[in-house]
Each structure stands twice: as C-alpha cells, then as structure tokens.
Amino acid sequence: MTTVAIVLIVGLFVLLLLGMPIAFTLGLLALVGMWLNDANPLILSQRLIAGTGVHSLLAIPGFVLAGYIMSEGGLSRRLVHIAASMIGHLPGGLSMATVGAGTFFGAISGSAPATTAAIGSVMTSELEERGYERGYAAALATAVGPLGQMIPPSIPMVVWGVLAEESISKLFLAGIIPGLAAALGFVVISYLYAVIRGVPRVGWMGFGEIARAIRNGIWALFTPVVILGGIYGGVFTPTEASMVGAFYSFVVGVFIYRELSWRKLPGVLLQSLRTTAIIMFIICTAYAFAWVVSNEQLPSQVAEQLLSITDNPILILLILNILLLLLGAVIDTLSAMVILSTVLIAVGNQIGLEPIQLGAMVVINFAVGMVTPPLGYSLFVAASITGLRIETVARHLWPFLLVLVGVIGLVSYVPWVTLWLPSLID
C-alpha cells in the first residue's frame, strides 16, 4: 500500500474521531492526497465542480423541498388519521396506524430523519395517551425512519444511481418489497406489544369516519401516486418528478389544505436550502476524495484483501453487511456511499452480485445504520422530539432492529426481493 493510501486511511479515521465535520475531512484529505502526488491543486476545484455536474442530482433539492412542504402542509397528520380510522380498533391499532403513516410519509419524504421527525412529532403524545409507553412510541418513530429511504422516492437511491451509473427508476423499485416487508414486521410487533402489555383498544369508528378521513386526506394519498405514477408511467424522469412533487405539495398545502401559509413559506424554503446545501457540499468533497482514492487504486486493493479472506460469496456478503451497518451508524450516508462506492462495486462484480441488488443492499444497510444505537442519527431525532434519553429509546428499539436486520438478510441472500419489480420495466 502506498504512502498516500496510508495517509488517506489513517487521516480519515483520525479526523472523524477528532470530530471534524465529514465534508471538511474529505476536502482536506483530497487536498493532501493531491499535494503528496504533486498534482495541480486546481484539480481539487475541478473535482468539486464535477461533483455537482450530474443531472440526476437535481432530484435531491426537489425531493427535499417537497418533503418539507408536505410536513408543514399537514399531510402527515391526515395520513395518520386515515390509518387510525381504518385499523385503530385492532389490538395495537394506533401503533399499526403509525407504521402505515410512516410508510406513506416515507414515500413522500425520501429521508429517514425526516420521516422520524414528522411521525414522531405527530404520534408520540397520541400513542402515550392511548396506553403505550413513551419509550415505545419514540422507538416506533425511530424504526419507521428507514422506510423513508427504502420506499421510493429515496434520496440515497438517487445518489447511488449516479455513483454506480445505474437506473434510478429500477433502484426505486428495488426498495419497495423490502420496505413493505419491514412495515409488515412492525405491524406484527405492534400487535404483540398491545396484546402482551394489555394496551386498551379504541372503538370502531365506523365507515362514515373512514370516508371522512379519506375525503380530508385524499390529496395527501395522491402525492406518491403523482410522483411514482409519473415516473413509471413514462411521463417524467425522477428529476422532473421531484420538481412536480414540490409543486404539487405547494399547491395542496397552500390552496387546498391552507395549513402552509405564505408567512411560513420562507422558513420552509430556508430549511430545504440549508439541507440541500449540506448534502451537496458533502457530495462535492466526497467526489474529490473519491478521485484521489481511485488514483491510488485503493478500491481494487481493498477488494483483493476482502476476497483473500474467503471466496465464499455468502461469507463475503455477511462481512459487507456488518461493515456497512457499522459505518452507517457513524458516518453520513451520502459520504459513506461516495467513499465506498468504487470498492463495493468492485467486490460486487467479483462475487457476481447484480448491480441493482447491490445498490438496494447498500442503501438499506445505511438506512438501518441511522437507527442503530448508540450513534444512529434518527435515534437522536426521536430522543430530542420526545425528551427521552438515548438509552431509553434504544431499550425499546431492539424488536424493530431485529426486523430490519432480517430485511437486510432477505435483500442480500434472496435476489428476487430486489430484482423482481425492476425486471418488469426491462
């Protein structure tokens, strides 16, 4: 291994342990790597600009803006009401309704922390009033967060599609079955929790209440239909879909539900701009770092080292999943994907893993990493919303984590789970 490669690896771990923000870490190491290679420093600026020059990345600000507008526009509350009116009378019904709302909102926001924040802020107090422990409510809000990155549209899926040069539409489809499998597992946990803990059941609201809930929330239900229907119907690309979603959510929030006032709009725009700027800054510096890493041929070296441990694809996948899950809990998802993409693609090619399956496996591992104690970011979001300690939320989280780890196993070892739906649009 070259001196530059050693500096990059050691420097990455040291700077992250010292608490330097990931974007500054990657940018600094990229500059040091170029300096050690006597490369022209202007290359750094070229690589930074190249990181923003991919057309598909335009989908990110659109989906981020759509998510914020929908959250402020009252869509999450209406989705919860629809789900609660349908299944709230069942054992664990309100918890199941939370899972359903998280599934729908995940299909809107495309972000794990955003889903956790939206569902947690709406449902935590309601669940507690109905007999659920506050820690369980916080854990449930944390657990539904990864659904936002599994079920399309998913911002990490967009980024991986750009990095791996794979179809974003197929990657979106690859996440649907794993996302629904996780949601089904959460429903089972909701039922068992309510039965074991003796959570009081609410009365049947009747078909009239269901009809009213659907009528009040019909525009919220149509949001994923408009976005995903347009993509798979060939009406517009994922990038165009993000802008359509933002415009649609604006019209619904301002003119139909009238919960997004003109006074709130500048704050929503500022929030989305701040989030988009952070994401794009990380991507830019990660692209520059990845260029230096590729020049040092680190991906092929790491792949060779990994394959030297064993040539058994089952064991290699197990090692990869453990590595991705651990990294997802300590490193920003987008940064980790950019840093590791060339290595993961090389290993995937060596063991004959389908690129779409690999992309789904990577994104889902990182999504689950965001809820894994003690450093998962969504865990901090839920704790801050509920005012609970991290360890309290984590203690109630383990059944949900078992479900999510099981989904990772399905994605890794049962190819049709991620490849069947994408095969329908070949």
Side-chain angles (χ1 to χ4, degrees):
M1 191 172 288
T2 65
T3 302
V4 177
I6 294 173
V7 170
L8 292 176
I9 294 173
V10 174
L12 182 64
F13 283 103
V14 170
L15 292 177
L16 288 177
L17 287 173
L18 290 175
M20 178 177 283
I22 185 67
F24 292 103
T25 297
L26 297 176
L28 178 61
L29 290 175
L31 184 60
V32 170
M34 292 176 184
W35 175 69
L36 292 174
N37 277 325
D38 294 324
N40 191 328
L42 290 177
I43 295 177
L44 177 62
S45 60
Q46 293 172 351
R47 299 317 303 169
L48 291 174
I49 294 172
T52 63
V54 182
H55 178 267
S56 299
L57 289 177
L58 287 173
I60 291 176
F63 285 132
V64 169
L65 177 59
Y68 276 113
I69 292 177
M70 291 169 185
S71 181
E72 289 291 332
L75 277 81
S76 57
R77 180 171 53 79
R78 284 174 169 80
L79 291 173
V80 169
H81 190 197
I82 291 171
S85 67
M86 291 181 175
I87 59 176
H89 64 287
L90 300 174
L94 192 62
S95 180
M96 295 178 189
T98 304
V99 175
T103 303
F104 274 107
F105 193 82
I108 295 171
S109 72
S111 164
T115 304
T116 294
I119 299 303
S121 60
V122 172
M123 289 305 300
T124 300
S125 298
E126 187 74 17
L127 285 164
E128 192 175 16
E129 289 176 7
R130 300 287 181 88
Y132 294 85
E133 289 186 56
R134 192 169 182 82
Y136 173 86
L140 179 60
T142 304
V144 299
L147 299 179
Q149 290 183 199
M150 296 184 200
I151 297 173
S154 163
I155 292 173
M157 289 288 193
V158 173
V159 176
W160 183 263
V162 172
L163 296 173
E165 298 181 355
E166 295 294 334
S167 167
I168 294 174
S169 296
K170 288 186 176 182
L171 285 168
F172 279 176
L173 286 175
I176 292 178
I177 293 178
L180 294 178
L184 180 60
F186 296 162
V187 166
V188 173
I189 292 173
S190 299
Y191 176 83
L192 294 175
Y193 178 91
V195 171
I196 294 171
R197 297 298 182 93
V199 176
R201 295 165 62 175
V202 298
W204 165 247
M205 294 184 181
F207 290 107
E209 181 61 28
I210 293 176
R212 279 191 293 274
I214 292 176
R215 186 170 61 251
N216 291 334
I218 190 67
W219 295 104
L221 288 174
F222 268 123
T223 308
V225 175
V226 170
I227 295 174
L228 301 179
I231 293 173
Y232 299 119
V235 180
F236 35 69
T237 66
T239 299
E240 294 165 344
S242 69
M243 307 305 172
V244 171
F247 179 73
Y248 177 87
S249 61
F250 168 77
V251 172
V252 172
V254 174
F255 299 107
I256 299 177
Y257 291 157
R258 297 183 180 179
E259 292 193 22
L260 180 63
S261 65
W262 293 99
R263 185 178 300 175
K264 288 183 180 178
L265 198 57
V268 172
L269 292 173
L270 186 60
Q271 282 182 308
S272 65
L273 285 172
R274 185 183 294 115
T275 301
T276 300
I278 292 171
I279 293 173
M280 295 308 298
F281 185 35
I282 291 171
I283 290 175
C284 289
T285 55
Y287 256 85
F289 180 79
W291 182 83
V292 176
V293 166
S294 298
N295 275 359
E296 292 301 311
Q297 298 183 340
L298 265 180
S300 59
Q301 293 179 45
V302 173
E304 288 173 7
Q305 291 294 323
L306 181 58
L307 295 171
S308 68
I309 299 173
T310 177
D311 58 358
N312 187 326
I314 295 176
L315 291 179
I316 291 173
L317 280 175
L318 179 61
I319 294 170
L320 277 180
N321 281 318
I322 294 173
L323 173 66
L324 293 173
L325 194 58
L326 292 175
L327 288 175
V330 297
I331 301 179
D332 174 80
T333 296
L334 302 182
S335 304
M337 285 198 300
V338 177
I339 294 170
L340 297 174
S341 60
T342 48
V343 174
L344 296 172
I345 292 169
V347 173
N349 290 336
Q350 288 288 333
I351 62 175
L353 198 64
E354 286 286 339
I356 296 297
Q357 182 185 1
L358 173 65
M361 188 182 82
V362 171
V363 170
I364 292 172
N365 263 290
F366 285 141
V368 177
M370 295 190 76
V371 304
T372 302
L375 298 174
Y377 180 64
S378 291
L379 201 62
F380 288 97
V381 173
S384 65
I385 289 173
T386 58
L388 296 173
R389 296 173 63 87
I390 294 292
E391 51 267 34
T392 303
V393 181
R395 189 169 64 250
H396 291 84
L397 187 63
W398 68 266
F400 301 103
L401 276 177
L402 289 178
V403 170
L404 292 171
V405 170
V407 169
I408 291 174
L410 282 176
V411 169
S412 303
Y413 297 110
V414 186
W416 73 264
V417 170
T418 51
L419 298 180
W420 178 61
L421 286 177
S423 70
L424 299 179
I425 62 171
D426 281 334

